[in-house]
Amino acid sequence: MQTANSKQLRYQIQCPRLPLAVYREVAAHLRQVEGVKTGLNPIQGVSEPSQPPPFDYGRSQVGSLWIEYQDDITSASRQQVDQILAYYGDRYGTWEVLQAIGNREQRCD
């Protein structure tokens, strides 16, 4: 996933085979980048809230990860985010962009 040459300010992404602990690790690494905020979104679409889906080690327990850039983020910081995502993508599979938003008026969570 490449964001360094983009003007989008917020992304919602997922990697379906990424385990919960690794999603948390990715978020922790991204939080260390200056000008970046991030967090995890729960799995969506569970038919009955009282019945969570069965635990499966082969599937993620997280719905997606959101990344938000400050307006004045540097291209070096965006490149650092791209490198972090590429590292985990190489090990766990391709990141899928669920939503990319160019301004703060819209929210994707």
Side-chain angles (χ1 to χ4, degrees):
M1 186 179 138
Q2 295 291 315
T3 67
N5 297 324
S6 174
K7 298 296 182 194
Q8 303 299 325
L9 295 178
R10 187 171 169 96
Y11 291 88
Q12 184 175 348
I13 62 174
Q14 71 175 3
C15 184
R17 307 230 6 114
L18 199 69
L20 171 61
V22 180
Y23 261 112
R24 288 181 174 171
E25 185 177 317
V26 173
H29 285 173
L30 293 174
R31 283 187 195 105
Q32 294 176 16
V33 179
E34 190 173 334
V36 174
K37 293 181 183 179
T38 189
L40 304 178
N41 292 320
I43 294 175
Q44 300 292 320
V46 176
S47 57
E48 287 194 38
S50 62
Q51 290 290 334
F55 185 80
D56 179 358
Y57 281 103
R59 289 186 38 128
S60 179
Q61 305 301 306
V62 173
S64 61
L65 171 83
W66 59 266
I67 303 168
E68 186 172 288
Y69 295 113
Q70 293 179 352
D71 293 328
D72 59 349
I73 190 164
T74 65
S75 62
S77 290
R78 279 188 180 259
Q79 287 175 349
Q80 190 174 4
V81 167
D82 289 351
Q83 290 170 347
I84 292 167
L85 295 176
Y87 175 86
Y88 289 99
D90 289 346
R91 283 147 186 81
Y92 293 96
T94 305
W95 290 98
E96 300 170 16
V97 177
L98 302 177
Q99 195 166 22
I101 298 175
N103 63 45
R104 303 232 184 264
E105 302 300 315
Q106 301 169 312
R107 303 285 298 186
C108 61
D109 51 8

